[in-house]
Amino acid sequence: MNMNAILKDKRSLFWTLQFVGWSGWAMSFYLGVIMWGSPPDNYLWYLPLIATIGMALSLILRGIYRYMWEMDLPRRIVAIAAGSYGAGLVWMACRGTIFYNMFPAQRKITERDSMSFLSYFDGAISAFWVMLVWSALYFGIKNYLQAQEDRERSLKAISMAHEAQLKMLQYQLNPHFLFNTLNAISTLVLDKNNELANIMVTRLSRFLRYTLDNDPMQKVTVAEEVTALQLYLDIEKVRFDDRLELRFDIQDEASRALMPSLLLQPLVENSIKYAIAHAINGGYISVSASIEPDTLVLQVADDGPGIDLSREIPSNGGGVGLSNCRERLNEIYNERQSFRLSTTDPHGLTITIRIPLEYSKEG
């Protein structure tokens, strides 16, 4: 069993630490006896026995501590000190009884010693310190594990909120897009252009399947993003026909880079809404992807009326797609991204996105 599995399994961790801790105490005690002389016969049987009794007493303390876990700090400290000292006295009494029965010669020596009571008292203090150290370790480790659990729960809650935020941002524009598309299909049906309406429904189905199959928490390659974008633009081409000109400039190296899925679709939709839909002769939308040192550069440009750069609002109003994309980038990359607006020469809007350069591990 690896360390991470042990840390997550509290029962296994407790018994592992119990065995290691009490075995370590017995070994250190034995080494201390050896330093002062040769231990009596059967001493190697005596030590495991009293260590087992100490472990049993610590289990009783564990039950008491579980009961008083929610007590206020002063009462808990008093309970720990009293419990440790009581367990130390009982442990020392058991040790003395077993020792004198296993080693009767030592008992005769002790009975002639007028300081035997003080020796027992010193032993009880020593046993108290052992139990107190055990109690401190028990509370320390338990508090640490509980803090880790609270931290994991907090991180999980943050992650879930983060994922919900990203999904909300990704799907925020879909109702508007669906409304326009279904309205266009309805118009085609009323005009009895059933073949084109069927084509549009098929393309809409393919695009929606792609959006539903892609998790906004996962990243896709630029090539996959462009494919999804073309699914979306296939639908818009039915609406605008020759009024919509598309230009793609994707570098080979950039096509393998990773980016958030469906990041560009709201930007392209924003361009169609404000640059193409209101232009009598239509216009163009260009999408490009290139590589700079450790950076993926994405651009969406159009030749529409542009925006007020001081307020970042399209001249026709709105601009939800821009804030949507900016918020999503901030959620994913924080300060490691940039989202810049500029004017397309001679007029229009150019959006430049810079994100950290990443490649799929499988690639």
Side-chain angles (χ1 to χ4, degrees):
M1 185 179 291
N2 58 39
M3 185 56 66
N4 287 333
I6 291 176
L7 289 175
K8 289 183 178 180
D9 186 350
K10 290 185 178 181
R11 184 182 296 275
S12 297
L13 178 63
F14 175 79
W15 287 108
T16 299
L17 292 177
Q18 279 282 82
F19 178 78
V20 171
W22 285 105
S23 297
W25 174 86
M27 182 61 68
S28 63
F29 198 89
Y30 181 72
L31 293 175
V33 171
I34 291 178
M35 290 178 62
W36 291 97
S38 299
D41 294 338
N42 296 326
Y43 203 73
L44 288 177
W45 291 100
Y46 166 72
L47 276 180
L49 181 57
I50 61 172
T52 301
I53 294 173
M55 182 186 295
L57 290 171
S58 70
L59 293 178
I60 296 174
L61 287 179
R62 181 194 185 196
I64 295 172
Y65 293 158
R66 280 180 168 180
Y67 174 76
M68 48 161 277
W69 186 257
E70 301 298 331
M71 286 184 179
D72 56 272
L73 185 60
R75 292 174 63 191
R76 195 186 305 178
I77 292 174
V78 171
I80 290 172
S84 298
Y85 189 69
L89 288 176
V90 174
W91 190 34
M92 195 59 200
C94 294
R95 286 168 58 178
T97 301
I98 294 171
F99 183 82
Y100 292 137
N101 280 281
M102 290 186 69
F103 311 108
Q106 187 66 27
R107 181 175 185 175
K108 293 178 181 179
I109 295 173
T110 306
E111 286 175 348
R112 295 196 301 268
D113 186 359
S114 60
M115 303 293 288
S116 59
F117 174 77
L118 292 178
S119 297
Y120 174 80
F121 181 77
D122 288 342
I125 294 297
S126 176
F128 160 69
W129 280 111
V130 172
M131 292 298 177
L132 189 63
V133 168
W134 183 93
S135 300
L137 287 173
Y138 175 80
F139 274 91
I141 293 171
K142 190 173 179 68
N143 278 315
Y144 171 78
L145 292 176
Q146 185 168 322
Q148 288 294 102
E149 283 186 355
D150 292 342
R151 181 173 177 271
E152 287 182 6
R153 281 195 294 267
S154 177
L155 289 175
K156 186 175 181 180
I158 292 173
S159 176
M160 291 174 68
H162 179 67
E163 182 175 356
Q165 173 73 0
L166 286 179
K167 287 183 176 179
M168 183 274 291
L169 290 172
Q170 178 172 340
Y171 299 126
Q172 185 178 22
L173 297 179
N174 278 355
H176 175 265
F177 162 67
L178 285 173
F179 173 80
N180 285 339
T181 304
L182 293 174
N183 191 44
I185 294 171
S186 176
T187 301
L188 291 172
V189 172
L190 290 174
D191 292 341
K192 300 188 183 304
N193 195 343
N194 296 333
E195 182 178 354
L196 195 54
N198 183 61
I199 291 173
M200 204 166 183
V201 169
T202 301
R203 291 175 178 178
L204 175 62
S205 174
R206 289 171 59 196
F207 177 73
L208 291 179
R209 181 181 297 276
Y210 180 89
T211 61
L212 293 173
D213 287 345
N214 277 272
D215 188 340
M217 298 295 290
Q218 301 298 319
K219 296 174 183 176
V220 298
T221 64
V222 172
E224 291 172 322
E225 174 73 359
V226 170
T227 299
L229 197 55
Q230 287 173 332
L231 289 174
Y232 165 73
L233 289 170
D234 282 345
I235 299 169
E236 299 293 15
K237 281 288 285 182
V238 176
R239 290 178 59 203
F240 296 101
D241 198 15
D242 294 336
R243 292 175 59 211
L244 174 58
E245 179 186 348
L246 304 175
R247 303 174 185 177
F248 288 92
D249 181 17
I250 311 297
Q251 292 182 359
D252 289 340
E253 187 178 359
S255 67
R256 297 182 289 105
L258 293 176
M259 62 176 290
S261 65
L262 295 174
L263 179 70
L264 301 181
Q265 186 264 337
L267 303 182
V268 172
E269 181 173 354
N270 191 80
S271 293
I272 290 175
K273 183 178 180 182
Y274 298 111
I276 308 298
H278 298 286
I280 296 175
N281 298 320
Y284 75 84
I285 298 175
S286 69
V287 178
S288 64
S290 58
I291 300 296
E292 292 182 359
D294 299 322
T295 303
L296 172 63
V297 182
L298 303 166
Q299 272 193 344
V300 176
D302 62 58
D303 62 347
I307 70 169
D308 180 356
L309 293 178
S310 63
R311 300 175 61 194
E312 296 189 0
I313 298 176
S315 58
N316 294 330
V320 176
L322 302 182
S323 59
N324 180 293
C325 186
R326 189 194 300 276
E327 288 179 35
R328 192 168 171 216
L329 284 170
N330 188 59
E331 283 287 326
I332 298 172
Y333 297 106
N334 203 355
E335 300 297 327
R336 298 181 300 122
Q337 52 82 26
S338 70
F339 184 90
R340 188 171 64 87
L341 306 180
S342 59
T343 300
T344 306
D345 187 27
H347 57 80
L349 173 65
T350 297
I351 304 166
T352 305
I353 297 171
R354 286 179 167 83
I355 58 176
L357 182 61
E358 299 175 80
Y359 289 103
S360 172
K361 293 179 181 179
E362 297 177 358

